């Protein structure tokens, strides 16, 4: 059982630590201190559900249904381009992080819906989390322990990212730093969208 747990944790850590659309979103929300803890919790919950779904059968369904992956691919690409354009516009403005905070935060519901969109409209989450992590988990002697290990990795990573970035926010609140972050988010979103479109 413990071997399956450790396998799930190591595989999940290896995939979620790479900077992607979801990590960039959590980082940006944490630096804004805008509902960053609920966003991190939602990402952990989504990862746990998707890994469990993959381990217990969804990986097989997706592998044999290219239409579902195609719908996710194009929907995800459109959303990522829109979100990247929004971040790029913000990077080109002269607003600092503090000024953005002074304008008022978005509602928790709006932020969580954006987090859901970044998570579920990105086909990489299905390729990595459901197909790859899920198919590996289905081969484990204790699949449930594997899912728990993957969920633990997600919990540690997103908690650290959310709390750490929020703690660093006062030192990163300079306009140039914030513009660089927005630019990084925009580039990441465009890169993932381009990968989806041209692969």
């Amino acid at each position: 059982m413990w071997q399956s747990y450790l396998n799930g944790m190591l595989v999940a850590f290896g995939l979620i630590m790479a900077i992607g659309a979801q990590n960039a979103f959590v980082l940006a929300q944490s630096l804004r201190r805008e509902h960053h803890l609920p966003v991190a919790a939602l990402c952990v919950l989504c990862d746990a559900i998707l890994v469990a779904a993959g381990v217990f059968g969804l990986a097989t369904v997706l592998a044999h249904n290219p239409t579902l992956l195609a719908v996710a691919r194009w929907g995800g690409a459109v959303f990522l381009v829109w979100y990247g354009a929004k971040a790029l516009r913000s990077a080109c403005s002269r607003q600092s992080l503090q000024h953005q905070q002074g304008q008022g935060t978005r509602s928790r519901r709006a932020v969580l819906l954006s987090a859901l969109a970044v998570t579920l409209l990105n086909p990489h989450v299905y390729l990595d989390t459901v197909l790859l992590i899920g198919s590996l988990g289905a081969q484990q002697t204790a699949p449930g322990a594997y899912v728990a290990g993957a969920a633990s990795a997600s919990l540690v990573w997103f908690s650290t990212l959310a709390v750490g970035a929020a703690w660093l926010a006062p030192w990163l609140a300079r306009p140039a730093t914030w513009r660089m972050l927005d630019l990084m988010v925009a580039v990441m979103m465009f890169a993932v969208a381009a990968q989806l479109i041209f692969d």
Side-chain angles (χ1 to χ4, degrees), residues 30-111:
S30 300
L31 287 174
R32 288 187 183 101
R33 295 182 179 180
E34 186 182 52
H35 310 298
H36 56 291
L37 295 178
V39 165
L42 181 66
C43 290
V44 172
L45 179 64
C46 285
D47 280 0
I49 291 171
L50 289 168
V51 169
V55 167
F56 297 113
L58 186 58
T60 305
V61 172
L62 286 178
H64 294 93
N65 195 333
T67 304
L68 284 177
L69 287 178
V71 169
R73 173 185 174 190
W74 290 104
V78 168
F79 174 78
L80 291 170
V81 167
W82 171 80
Y83 197 88
K86 185 177 169 188
L88 184 60
R89 187 180 65 205
S90 180
C92 293
S93 74
R94 297 187 177 185
Q95 295 177 329
S96 70
L97 175 60
Q98 290 175 335
H99 183 58
Q100 286 184 8
Q101 287 176 328
Q103 288 183 327
T105 59
R106 293 180 294 170
S107 70
R108 180 181 298 172
R109 181 175 180 272
V111 170

